[in-house]
Amino acid sequence: MHATGQVIAFTYTGRLTATELDRALDAVLPTDIAIRGVRRVPDGFHPRFAARYREYRYTVWNGPRSPLRERTALGLRAPLDTAAMSRAGSVFIGRHDFSAFGAADRSPVRTVHAVRVRREGRLVTIDVRADAFLRGMVRRMVAVLLEVGLGKMDETAVRAALAGPGPALDGAAAPAKGLCLRRVALGRAPGEQNGEHEER
């Protein structure tokens, strides 16, 4: 899994300014991690509980083998029906028990705000925005949508999988390399309900 919009909180008792700390952290981090901005927050702030929503993107390279593109995307040679995937994705929108699409959780109900399936040439993206996610939820949703895109499932079957008693597709999940956390929108109102676990 990748992230372009991860938010973390930490305690710092040194004397560097936020700008100086930003540069200092960037200097010692591995080359595949970068800081986009350090900000002071109130005591007790925790991004998990302050998030209004999270948005993930799953990327599929739907074309001939491409080692460069497939470093961060699932390579799939068979053509995908993205219109059918988009229709099926609407099944997930709303407040549902997502037990069939995630790891066991004491509170498996989540609110999905949007599911967008788009194609630009050979590149297919699936964006999912929700208040929170169960562990593995987006990758399992994507696995089902890919089955729809390949003509192996339809919207009715997706609806049945969501309502079903067991794991959808026997718990099959799309590979992690195509998944990216794009955004964590902060500013949840105090007392507003939100889940604790996120896709990994």
Side-chain angles (χ1 to χ4, degrees), residues 14-80:
R15 291 181 289 185
L16 296 177
T17 67
T19 302
E20 291 168 338
L21 185 57
D22 188 317
R23 286 198 300 262
L25 288 171
D26 236 5
V28 297
L29 286 170
T31 56
D32 58 348
I33 300 175
I35 302 291
R36 283 180 32 187
V38 174
R39 294 173 185 81
R40 187 180 300 274
V41 294
D43 287 344
F45 171 83
H46 196 299
R48 174 184 289 176
F49 305 117
R52 291 197 331 267
Y53 64 83
R54 291 105 166 143
E55 184 172 306
Y56 284 87
R57 169 169 287 178
Y58 197 91
T59 304
V60 179
W61 174 248
N62 194 207
R65 185 172 174 274
S66 174
L68 185 59
R69 291 182 182 273
E70 291 174 34
R71 289 179 61 203
T72 57
L74 171 65
L76 203 59
R77 311 296 165 241
L80 290 170

Side-chain angles (χ1 to χ4, degrees), residues 119-184:
R119 175 187 288 279
E120 287 186 24
R122 301 293 181 92
L123 205 63
V124 174
T125 56
I126 303 165
D127 294 328
V128 183
R129 178 184 290 184
D131 61 348
F133 293 89
L134 299 175
R135 188 177 182 95
M137 182 171 149
V138 175
R139 294 195 296 124
R140 292 183 189 186
M141 291 169 65
V142 168
V144 165
L145 292 179
L146 291 176
E147 290 290 291
V148 172
L150 293 169
K152 299 177 180 179
M153 288 181 76
D154 61 15
E155 188 177 335
T156 302
V158 175
R159 200 174 301 280
L162 180 60
L169 285 182
D170 294 323
K177 69 176 181 175
L179 185 67
C180 182
L181 174 62
R182 298 186 69 212
R183 185 172 185 204
V184 178

